[in-house]
């Protein structure tokens, strides 16, 4: 039986944070998403414009996944954010983990200004909501390393035909991260268990979809 | 061995909600807070100014608890809110479950305008935070039925000497409640497991404190 | 003709701010609130627990105002906040301008835990709203120097019979203050003109009320 | 002397609103932006996907403006939002004023997924901030009629070479709009005077820039 190869990525910690929920979710996913029809490849990406770009390209060439889902942290979001748009733009408010802080530079010079996610974002949000998981469609993944990874996944898919389906999920803080913030402005958070459930729901929804022979395109 | 008697209350659902996290937390607490030195009494209160007041008085007279903790829902809060002040005021924005909507009326005519919680709210928030649970001290429990219950617990304690320690905890929405809200304004939420853990941490902190012979007073 | 004496106070800048909208509003009020039936006394208070307390007492003894309105800044509020409750509590998150940072201390030991404003806060908010000025009733003026001034005005009124009417108005940032904040979290603001209009509306509403011979009491 | 022709558009009211700040700002701009080197053309657009698209195309063909600035309302924003990205996407949460509610449809089938604004958005935000006007760069203009107008302006510019410079400014509520909202969730607002000043600052900054011979491109 043929198996669907899925790449799922998280990020290292960055800025003042000592943990990154996307890393923990990805590590916990290995082993917990056991399905005969799925081959899971996971990776933790550096929060570095240059190295994350290289890593994504290497991972895609090496594993040729049919589906790619990247996860990242969106400080302050109260719920799961399913990203709809990746921009060909790097514009950092704070330096990345290499100390690099690009301003208004394209990720891939000459490539399209933006790509739309090749997963059905609105149906996925509806599915998450039905499962009792707070979620929204988001129209901006920012202009930091999260957006770069999302853009690279889609650029590769639109250019080479794989991954056929690529998406980006922004996660809230974990409760233990929110607990460490200034007491007068505690941000929203979400439990690790619910994050893992959310990511599984998304992956299973995308896997179950009929993607045979589809070209990356607008949903 | 003498046991500390603790009253813990939650609320029925109200307004458009079909569940109330405070009710579920209280029901789950029974059995899960098993300590030889604690006798737990629980109750689910009606979201009714008149009937909640009667219930609290009856519960206090009947059980004479040393400690009383009331729980309620604070729509929109991103974290556990440990309330510091109960006001002698009823001022409802929406009718209660009996259709009653008091405006600017005292709860107990002639009684003090406000009481401070008789649990150490700042130490409790510090303890919750250390345990990785997002929490803040709140200076207002509102002017709805939550505040009424909090006021009645303190008024009774200051008047009759028991409960020696009384507090009020406001809980966020559960994720499944937040998931049902308008997609353009999903509110923050917290998992049931973390809420239960939070309430246990609070109760165990209050129980462990030396309250022997203390009169209700400022922390 | 007898004139109503009104004390209106603002505050110096504090924390990282170089201006305080409450100071500017008070300075602009002098001269612009010209009515034959009103005698306006204004003062700018230090953001110091000790010195603000002394100043308020001195001002009240010296001028014996019938009405007192104190103004302060509430960072982050999107609208005029008409305060309903003053607490007998000092609990500072940041030091005051004297470097003093009280924790959980009463303002007036032995005095009531709280006073309710002696101006009709809900009617005032309705009036402001009718005039097109965004406003809410607030149930907490915090536990910093703003609350201390509010408490002292009410404590004096309840103790000595004047000011018969006392209230506290929290103002948003001015636009030029908000413009200086972090670009990823610009707070709400309000124009100076609208703030001045709001304070005039409040004062004229309170002056026009029949307060003759009234004792300070719940609205 | 040759004059720079500038098209500035606002919108009619929509949804539950009886006024739209963008319309009022545009009407007030006529006459107040008097410069010998500028020829101002203004228009109020319908909040209709179909009719707004037609109007924009007609206005551009008829007036061939060198610069086009569109204004719209962003409910809930606390400051001026200078939009950076227009998406080739219509996805309405509420019907437009014609009762039409497109879902996930492209504005211009076959055209690019997104365009970047052809005004220097970051420099403009810096300029606004220096003038004491709270402002941010925004990475999403939504997927409603505002975004459609922004996309059409850029699509025309990138296709036909004019307008050379096009941008979109999202405005907060006016205070009188915010005052009518639910008292428990008053949104931020901005005075009409400050909005007008902001729009003038933006237009003058764009006019003063050396745009001779420039092709629409990334800033």
């Amino acid at each position: 039986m043929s198996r669907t190869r899925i790449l799922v990525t998280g990020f290292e910690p960055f800025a003042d944070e000592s943990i990154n929920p996307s890393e923990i979710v990805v590590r916990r996913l290995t082993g917990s998403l056991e399905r005969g029809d799925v081959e899971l490849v996971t990776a933790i990406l550096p929060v570095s414009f240059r190295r994350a770009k290289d890593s994504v390209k290497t991972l895609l060439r090496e594993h040729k996944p049919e589906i790619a889902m990247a996860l990242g942290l969106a400080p302050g979001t109260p719920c799961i954010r399913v990203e709809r748009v990746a921009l060909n733009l790097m514009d950092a408010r704070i330096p990345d983990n290499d100390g690099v802080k690009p301003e208004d530079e394209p990720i891939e010079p000459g490539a399209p200004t933006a790509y739309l996610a090749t997963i059905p974002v609105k149906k996925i949000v509806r599915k998450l909501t039905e499962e009792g998981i707070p979620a929204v469609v988001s129209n901006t993944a920012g202009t930091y390393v999260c957006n770069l990874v999302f853009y690279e996944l889609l650029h590769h898919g639109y250019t080479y035909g794989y991954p056929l389906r690529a998406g980006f999920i922004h996660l809230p803080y974990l409760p233990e991260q929110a607990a460490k913030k200034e007491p007068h402005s505690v941000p929203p958070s979400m439990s690790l268990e619910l994050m893992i459930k959310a990511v599984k729901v998304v992956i299973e929804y995308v896997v179950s979809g009929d993607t045979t022979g589809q070209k990356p395109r607008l949903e």
Side-chain angles (χ1 to χ4, degrees), chain A residues 147-215:
Chain A
N147 172 70
L148 172 138
V149 165
F150 189 22
Y151 188 87
E152 283 298 327
L153 293 177
L154 289 165
H155 183 57
H156 203 278
Y158 278 91
T159 308
Y160 300 105
Y162 67 88
L164 279 172
R165 299 277 174 182
F168 195 99
I169 306 287
H170 262 125
L171 304 170
Y173 280 123
L174 287 166
E176 53 266 39
Q177 291 182 289
K180 281 185 188 143
K181 303 290 170 189
E182 285 293 310
H184 61 294
S185 63
V186 175
S189 58
M190 185 177 277
S191 73
L192 181 58
E193 286 64 35
L194 200 63
M195 288 185 188
I196 292 171
K197 184 179 168 190
V199 172
K200 277 183 180 176
V201 165
V202 173
I203 290 176
E204 301 202 329
Y205 189 86
V206 176
V207 170
S208 71
D210 177 16
T211 63
T212 322
Q214 282 198 334
K215 288 262 188 292

Side-chain angles (χ1 to χ4, degrees), chain A residues 24-118:
Chain A
I24 304 175
V25 168
V26 166
R27 293 197 190 287
R28 286 278 300 272
L29 215 56
T30 317
S32 82
L33 191 87
E34 306 244 346
R35 291 167 53 129
D37 57 347
V38 160
E39 182 190 337
L40 189 65
V41 178
T42 62
I44 305 306
L45 303 172
V47 179
S48 150
F49 285 95
R50 187 181 57 75
R51 291 184 291 130
K53 190 175 174 179
D54 290 349
S55 287
V56 168
K57 292 188 179 200
T58 303
L59 285 163
L60 292 178
R61 275 197 303 261
E62 189 172 338
H63 298 287
K64 295 192 170 48
E66 280 99 346
I67 296 170
M69 291 298 310
L71 314 179
L73 166 66
T77 186
C79 65
I80 298 289
R81 271 173 49 189
V82 182
E83 297 296 343
R84 172 142 69 180
V85 185
L87 284 181
N88 189 7
L89 186 65
M90 298 182 286
D91 191 26
R93 191 172 54 77
I94 53 171
D96 69 11
N97 285 355
D98 292 344
V100 175
K101 190 176 167 300
E103 284 205 50
D104 286 329
E105 294 174 33
I107 296 168
E108 295 285 348
T113 298
Y115 290 114
L116 294 183
T118 42

Side-chain angles (χ1 to χ4, degrees), chain A residues 109-136:
Chain A
T113 298
Y115 290 114
L116 294 183
T118 42
I119 59 170
V121 294
K122 289 176 70 179
K123 286 179 187 167
I124 286 170
V125 165
R126 210 169 301 131
K127 179 69 177 168
L128 287 167
T129 298
E130 284 166 13
E131 300 276 338
I133 305 170
V136 291

